[in-house]
Amino acid sequence: MNTESKRQQRFAGVIQQDLGELFQREGGAWAPGAFITVTRVRMTPDLAIARVYLSFLNTKQAKDDLANIKSHANEIRYKLGARIKNQARIVPHLEFFLDDTNEYVEHMDKLFDEISKEPRQPE
């Protein structure tokens, strides 16, 4: 159930777009070789905290890259603030999470492939 207000959704969209551009341009500094995608942003009702879900491609160490991004959260927040200073009164605190949806989908595809290869038993 989606309980976010229109205001939260609109501000989350702004944050998602600007962080996506920021990671596209400068993501290599925090996660070398990885392609970082901002898959979702959830805002608290007071717009003070943004929960940012990231997906990593072209990397085997997504958890390490996420830890590195978390350690640079203040720097990323500062750069985000420079981009949204005319659109928001405050720059939200950023919390980063790993979005492992792609891994889950791949795992489920493998399971379904294994099931379809098994011989069917007569009834």
Side-chain angles (χ1 to χ4, degrees), residues 14-25:
V14 169
I15 300 293
Q16 182 173 357
Q17 181 178 358
D18 286 334
L19 277 179
E21 291 172 6
L22 185 65
F23 282 124
Q24 185 178 9
R25 292 181 188 181

Side-chain angles (χ1 to χ4, degrees), residues 8-26 36-43 50-54 76 79-81 83-84 87 92 94 96:
Q8 286 172 281
Q9 292 173 1
R10 192 168 48 245
F11 193 50
V14 169
I15 300 293
Q16 182 173 357
Q17 181 178 358
D18 286 334
L19 277 179
E21 291 172 6
L22 185 65
F23 282 124
Q24 185 178 9
R25 292 181 188 181
E26 302 181 35
I36 305 168
T37 306
V38 180
T39 57
R40 184 177 7 160
V41 175
R42 303 287 258 210
M43 299 299 303
R51 292 182 178 95
V52 182
Y53 294 85
L54 302 174
I76 296 168
K79 291 182 179 188
L80 175 67
R83 296 176 73 100
I84 66 168
Q87 298 170 326
L94 301 175
F96 294 102

Side-chain angles (χ1 to χ4, degrees), residues 31-108:
F35 182 75
I36 305 168
T37 306
V38 180
T39 57
R40 184 177 7 160
V41 175
R42 303 287 258 210
M43 299 299 303
T44 57
D46 61 356
L47 305 180
I49 299 173
R51 292 182 178 95
V52 182
Y53 294 85
L54 302 174
S55 176
F56 294 88
L57 299 173
N58 298 336
T59 184
K60 299 282 187 219
Q61 57 210 28
K63 291 181 180 177
D64 295 336
D65 291 339
L66 180 66
N68 195 25
I69 287 174
K70 284 182 178 181
S71 70
H72 289 92
N74 288 335
E75 176 187 352
I76 296 168
R77 182 177 182 231
Y78 177 79
K79 291 182 179 188
L80 175 67
R83 296 176 73 100
I84 66 168
K85 63 184 175 197
N86 296 328
Q87 298 170 326
R89 280 186 285 192
I90 63 165
V91 179
H93 175 73
L94 301 175
E95 295 178 353
F96 294 102
F97 299 95
L98 184 62
D99 184 3
D100 57 357
T101 305
N102 289 338
E103 293 171 14
Y104 179 75
V105 169
E106 288 176 13
H107 176 69
M108 294 304 290

